[in-house]
């Protein structure tokens, strides 16, 4: 399997605090990769750096073969169309309804006919398990679970190769959370996605992830699959995975 | 020392007072008898621990007498956590010089950030205007309606009242000299040249500039702006420039309406209070008020609009991830916009007068 993301010797400084120092990780194509760690360790910061929302201090991040540290505007724009991002609270555009939210990238970036776009939107809505009747509702009118699903549909609108999820199951009840997990697994199988996610949800971690990176003390303290994670001597891992199976 | 009953947060202080009364100078050993304690919480445990420590420093040894396992566990828990925890850091005190320096630096950074914003705005705007397909007519039209056309009523009313008040006050003075007819010159020039543009700008800053800040700030908090960026939509193109252009187009029109209403207010006062018929008023107006005053007033519009919209939007982008900062930045945006408009007006005033316009 080829490498899709490579982070090399990353250093991040926010204000006066060093968040990451000498952080390395490699994400392969087609895997579901989890970023874990105690709160405040910089998981979300790392994710934001990967999607070019935040600058880093030194080191390099390579995504789909592009080094995003010194990327040109045009290439950056092209890269942005190859991934989808799901934010923690969904971040749907509040002035647009679900259908308009999903169709926005299609309208902006493609010259598809209105009819075709409607069909794509209908498919995506169906794919993430929403009902077509809900398409005209606004973000303020729908539940948290529906918001996440709609935001996922929007992230999938351009058929990305790569999906970033920031705590996809946080704020969902356990049943919706499990549904969301199986949705993610289903999508990976159907669309051949590579998925990078930040998560705190143990069940979701065990059900969905292929490999994990644990960030602690500004570095990756563990990278690999879940089966032999308990042999690691990190304090965070011992506490977090204690009693889990 | 014998403790009994509930030994908790609520009873510690009374024990502390009791212990304070005892003279320990000749005591070698203290026994803490906790046999009769029925309930023992962590606060009590912390209290016992620190008392023991105090005694140790005075070279008094102490024993804790209890067989209750819960109490022993609680005591042990506190001891273990004491070993690993560090005392809480104290808030650093700042001297006057530090406060002054930090505040100055803060405002200096704020100024630099605004300059960076203006620079980015022009850089984006130039490439934006190079291609007609980029211009978002829908958004611009929407913003024109939201932030200008819907403000027509309030602007008409405000400038009508301003015209009325200015005319009424000067009518009183002019009557003394019998110079009634000069109300037309005075009102015409001051209204068209200064008051109408300024009043319009103030109302728009309070009404539309603040709403730009609040809208964009809220979008920032809900990560909508981040979502746009990751999708490759430049928020400057989608949110910033349409607002600025919409306001720049509409401002002269609003000023025009304000001109009409202000002069109309003056006309009413002139006919009621000074006995100048509307016909005479308008004839005189035509004779003495040169068209240049009108054009100067209108020409200020786009400049004021640019200041108001760009400050409003900039403040919106400055919002941090908490709701308090929306309020702070909205206030700032209105205050700074009105201030900037007045400074700009003063510069124009000097400029035009020196140019002889």
């Amino acid at each position: 399997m080829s490498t899709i993301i490579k982070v090399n010797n990353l250093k991040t400084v926010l204000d006066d605090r060093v968040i990451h120092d000498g952080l390395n990780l490699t994400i392969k194509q087609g895997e579901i990769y989890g970023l874990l760690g105690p709160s405040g360790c910089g998981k979300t910061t790392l994710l934001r750096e990967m999607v070019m929302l935040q600058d880093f201090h030194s080191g390099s991040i390579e995504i789909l073969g592009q080094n995003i540290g010194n990327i040109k505007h045009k290439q950056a724009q092209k890269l942005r169309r190859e991934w989808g991002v799901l934010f923690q609270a969904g971040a749907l555009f509040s002035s647009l309804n679900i259908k308009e939210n999903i169709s926005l990238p299609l309208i902006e970036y493609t010259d598809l006919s209105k009819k075709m776009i409607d069909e794509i939107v209908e498919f995506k809505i169906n794919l993430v398990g929403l009902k077509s009747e809900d398409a005209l509702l606004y973000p303020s009118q729908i539940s948290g679970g529906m918001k996440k699903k709609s935001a996922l549909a929007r992230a999938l609108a351009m058929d990305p190769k790569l999906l970033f999820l920031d705590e996809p199951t946080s704020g969902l009840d356990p049943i919706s959370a499990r549904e969301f997990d199986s949705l993610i697994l289903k999508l990976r199988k159907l669309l051949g996605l590579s998925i990078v996610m930040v998560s705190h949800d143990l069940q979701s971690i065990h059900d969905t992830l292929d490999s994990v990176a644990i960030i602690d003390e500004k570095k990756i303290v563990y990278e690999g699959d879940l089966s032999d994670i308990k042999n690691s001597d990190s304090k965070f891992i011992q506490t977090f995975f204690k009693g889990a199976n | 020392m014998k403790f009994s009953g509930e030994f908790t947060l609520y009873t510690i202080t009374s024990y502390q007072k009791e212990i304070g009364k005892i003279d320990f100078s000749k005591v070698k050993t203290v026994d803490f008898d906790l046999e009769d304690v029925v309930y023992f919480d962590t606060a009590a445990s912390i209290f016992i621990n620190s008392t023991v420590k105090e005694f140790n420093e005075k070279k008094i040894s102490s024993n804790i007498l209890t067989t209750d396992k819960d109490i022993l566990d609680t005591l042990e828990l506190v001891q273990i956590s004491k070993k690993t925890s560090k005392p809480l850091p104290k808030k650093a005190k700042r001297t006057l010089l530090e406060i002054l320096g930090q505040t100055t630096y803060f405002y200096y950074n704020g100024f630099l950030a605004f300059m960076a914003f203006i620079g980015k705005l022009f850089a984006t705007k130039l490439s934006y205007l190079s291609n007609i397909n980029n211009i978002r007519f829908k958004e611009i039209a929407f913003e024109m309606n939201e932030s200008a056309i819907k403000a027509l009523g309030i602007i008409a009313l405000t400038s009508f009242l301003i015209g009325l008040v200015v005319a009424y006050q000067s009518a009183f003075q002019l009557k003394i000299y019998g110079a009634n007819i000069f109300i037309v010159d005075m009102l015409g020039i001051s209204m068209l040249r200064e008051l109408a543009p300024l009043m319009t700008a103030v109302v728009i800053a309070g009404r539309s500039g603040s709403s730009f800040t609040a809208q964009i700030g809220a979008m920032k908090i809900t990560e909508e702006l981040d979502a746009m960026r990751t999708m490759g939509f430049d928020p400057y193109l989608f949110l910033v420039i349409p607002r600025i252009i919409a306001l720049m187009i509409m401002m002269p029109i609003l000023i025009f309406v304000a001109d009409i209403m202000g002069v109309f207010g003056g006309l009413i006062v002139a006919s009621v209070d000074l006995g100048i018929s509307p016909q005479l008023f308008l004839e005189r107006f035509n004779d003495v008020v040169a068209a240049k005053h009108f054009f100067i007033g209108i020409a200020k519009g786009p400049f004021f609009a640019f200041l108001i919209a760009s400050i409003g939007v900039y403040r919106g982008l400055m919002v941090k991830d908490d709701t308090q900062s929306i309020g702070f930045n909205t206030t700032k945006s209105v205050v700074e916009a009105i201030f900037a408009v007045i400074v700009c007006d003063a510069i124009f005033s000097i400029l035009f007068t020196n140019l002889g316009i």
Side-chain angles (χ1 to χ4, degrees):
Chain A
M1 280 193 290
S2 60
T3 301
I4 198 158
I5 298 180
K6 194 168 170 59
V7 177
N8 207 350
N9 225 349
L10 184 79
K11 184 171 181 182
T12 311
V13 184
L14 283 183
D15 296 327
D16 299 333
R17 283 183 311 136
V18 178
I19 308 285
H20 309 123
D21 194 1
L23 189 146
N24 296 299
L25 58 83
T26 314
I27 301 173
K28 294 196 190 70
Q29 183 152 20
E31 67 180 355
I32 303 185
Y33 191 96
L35 295 171
L36 276 65
S39 53
C41 72
K43 305 177 290 287
T44 303
T45 310
L46 180 60
L47 198 73
R48 288 172 62 89
E49 284 168 350
M50 285 180 185
V51 297
M52 296 192 279
L53 282 176
Q54 210 163 324
D55 289 333
F56 43 90
H57 201 251
S58 65
S60 70
I61 299 179
E62 218 175 88
I63 296 187
L64 298 165
Q66 299 254 27
N67 185 346
I68 62 168
N70 51 13
I71 195 166
K72 296 254 166 48
H73 179 72
K74 252 201 180 129
Q75 288 157 326
Q77 284 295 77
K78 195 166 159 266
L79 195 56
R80 285 193 178 106
R81 284 177 225 177
E82 289 178 30
W83 69 46
V85 184
L86 172 64
F87 287 86
Q88 218 177 98
L92 291 167
F93 301 130
S94 45
S95 55
L96 305 177
N97 61 32
I98 296 181
K99 185 186 149 212
E100 288 164 338
N101 259 293
I102 301 171
S103 58
L104 184 66
L106 296 165
I107 294 170
E108 290 300 328
Y109 287 136
T110 66
D111 48 6
L112 293 170
S113 67
K114 209 169 165 299
K115 193 164 156 269
M116 189 66 215
I117 289 178
D118 280 354
E119 264 174 52
I120 295 175
V121 171
E122 192 194 314
F123 168 73
K124 301 280 149 135
I125 285 181
N126 191 27
L127 187 71
V128 297
L130 286 170
K131 294 190 197 78
S132 301
E133 301 93 273
D134 302 332
L136 297 180
L137 294 175
Y138 283 86
S140 55
Q141 299 169 312
I142 59 178
S143 71
M146 283 168 76
K147 268 185 206 164
K148 292 232 161 160
K149 284 178 183 169
S150 321
L152 184 63
R154 186 181 69 184
L156 292 171
M158 299 291 289
D159 281 319
K161 294 175 193 156
L162 183 59
L163 197 57
F164 293 96
L165 311 174
D166 190 359
E167 301 203 22
T169 55
S170 79
L172 296 184
D173 65 88
I175 297 168
S176 318
R178 295 298 76 79
E179 272 175 14
F180 206 88
D181 287 344
S182 51
L183 176 63
I184 289 170
L185 286 171
K186 185 178 100 183
L187 289 176
R188 196 259 302 253
K189 211 170 127 204
L190 286 175
L191 308 174
L193 292 167
S194 312
I195 299 173
V196 181
M197 69 171 171
V198 168
S199 182
H200 283 302
D201 183 342
L202 258 183
Q203 192 63 46
S204 157
I205 289 166
H206 279 283
D207 288 350
T208 55
L209 296 188
D210 298 323
S211 44
V212 293
I214 316 269
I215 307 175
D216 199 4
E217 308 281 327
K218 298 162 195 163
K219 281 186 170 48
I220 300 284
V221 289
Y222 177 86
E223 188 181 15
D225 67 34
L226 282 163
S227 54
D228 50 31
I229 192 160
K230 281 194 204 163
N231 302 329
S232 164
D233 56 357
S234 154
K235 202 172 166 198
F236 170 76
I237 296 175
Q238 291 300 336
T239 333
F240 194 74
F241 287 96
K242 197 165 70 181
N245 32 46
Chain B
M1 266 185 268
K2 189 170 171 63
F3 301 88
S4 61
E6 289 193 354
F7 191 6
T8 63
L9 285 172
Y10 307 104
T11 52
I12 289 174
T13 323
S14 60
Y15 285 126
Q16 205 165 15
K17 278 182 194 152
E18 291 293 318
I19 294 172
K21 285 178 197 158
I22 306 170
D23 177 19
F24 287 103
S25 55
K26 285 172 191 147
V27 181
K28 285 268 161 59
T29 323
V30 176
D31 290 342
F32 292 89
D33 187 351
L34 302 175
E35 278 311 338
D36 290 346
V37 171
V38 288
Y39 184 73
F40 188 77
D41 68 1
T42 50
S45 167
I46 291 167
F47 173 66
I48 294 282
N49 258 317
S50 57
T51 318
V52 169
K53 209 174 148 203
E54 238 171 73
F55 285 155
N56 276 342
E57 279 161 15
K58 292 184 197 158
K59 302 236 159 57
I60 303 169
S61 62
S62 29
N63 300 311
I64 292 166
L65 307 176
T66 180
T67 48
D68 191 323
K69 193 163 178 306
D70 285 345
I71 294 180
L72 286 172
D73 281 351
T74 317
L75 280 167
E76 198 190 329
L77 181 73
V78 170
Q79 273 160 1
I80 291 171
S81 96
K82 186 80 196 160
K83 266 178 212 154
T84 50
S85 77
K86 286 182 201 130
L88 297 176
K90 288 207 175 64
K91 213 173 170 185
K93 265 196 179 160
R94 301 190 301 167
T95 66
L96 196 64
L97 193 66
E98 273 175 312
I99 294 172
L100 184 71
Q102 275 166 352
T103 318
T104 314
Y105 188 64
F106 176 78
Y107 282 107
Y108 172 69
N109 267 344
F111 177 73
L112 285 190
F114 185 66
M115 286 296 129
F117 168 78
I118 295 286
K120 195 168 175 199
L121 187 67
F122 276 101
T124 330
K125 200 168 175 173
L126 285 181
S127 66
Y128 168 77
L129 293 175
S130 66
N131 188 348
I132 190 123
N133 290 335
N134 280 338
I135 299 174
R136 306 199 152 264
F137 294 105
K138 204 176 130 203
E139 273 91 352
I140 293 177
F142 177 80
E143 285 305 332
M144 277 176 161
N145 182 37
E146 272 307 302
S147 56
I149 293 176
K150 286 188 178 172
L152 269 176
I154 184 73
I155 283 174
L157 187 64
T158 325
S159 48
F160 173 71
L161 289 174
I162 291 283
L164 209 73
V165 169
V166 170
Y168 187 74
Q169 288 299 329
S170 31
F172 184 74
Q173 304 292 331
L174 289 171
K175 258 193 277 183
I176 300 173
Y177 302 102
N180 293 13
I181 194 69
F182 285 103
I183 185 93
V184 181
D185 310 40
M186 213 207 77
L187 190 86
I189 294 174
S190 64
M191 209 63 211
L192 297 190
R193 200 176 163 121
E194 293 292 337
L195 286 175
L198 214 54
M199 283 317 297
T200 312
V202 169
V203 171
I204 287 293
R207 192 194 166 282
S208 309
S210 61
S211 85
F212 290 170
T213 309
Q215 277 168 3
I216 291 181
M219 292 180 82
K220 194 163 175 194
I221 288 186
T222 53
E223 291 185 305
E224 280 175 49
L225 293 185
D226 287 344
M228 291 182 84
R229 284 199 188 100
T230 56
M231 290 159 83
F233 302 148
D234 186 351
Y236 278 75
L237 283 188
F238 277 68
L239 302 173
V240 179
I241 291 174
R243 282 178 167 77
I244 293 178
I245 290 186
L247 214 52
M248 283 175 81
I249 294 174
M250 288 309 288
M251 199 70 162
I253 297 171
L254 292 175
I255 293 175
F256 181 55
V257 173
D259 284 344
I260 296 171
M261 294 307 289
V263 172
F264 178 60
L267 185 137
I268 288 178
V269 171
S271 80
V272 172
D273 202 28
L274 297 172
I276 298 170
S277 72
Q279 217 169 357
L280 182 62
F281 187 96
L282 289 178
E283 254 169 47
R284 171 84 183 164
F285 195 88
N286 215 1
D287 288 343
V288 295
V289 182
K292 68 174 185 183
H293 299 302
F294 169 74
F295 287 119
I296 285 176
I298 295 288
K300 286 174 182 174
F303 292 93
F304 290 175
F306 177 78
L307 286 172
I308 293 167
S310 59
I311 290 174
V313 168
Y314 164 73
R315 279 287 156 199
L317 293 173
M318 283 296 110
V319 168
K320 300 260 162 49
D321 291 343
D322 61 304
T323 42
Q324 208 182 3
S325 118
I326 290 195
F328 172 80
N329 278 297
T330 310
T331 314
K332 277 259 176 193
S333 115
V334 176
V335 173
E336 284 171 1
I338 292 177
F339 178 70
V341 162
I342 291 175
V343 170
C344 176
D345 192 51
I347 295 172
F348 275 139
S349 196
I350 295 168
L351 204 72
F352 287 139
T353 310
N354 282 332
L355 286 173
I357 303 171

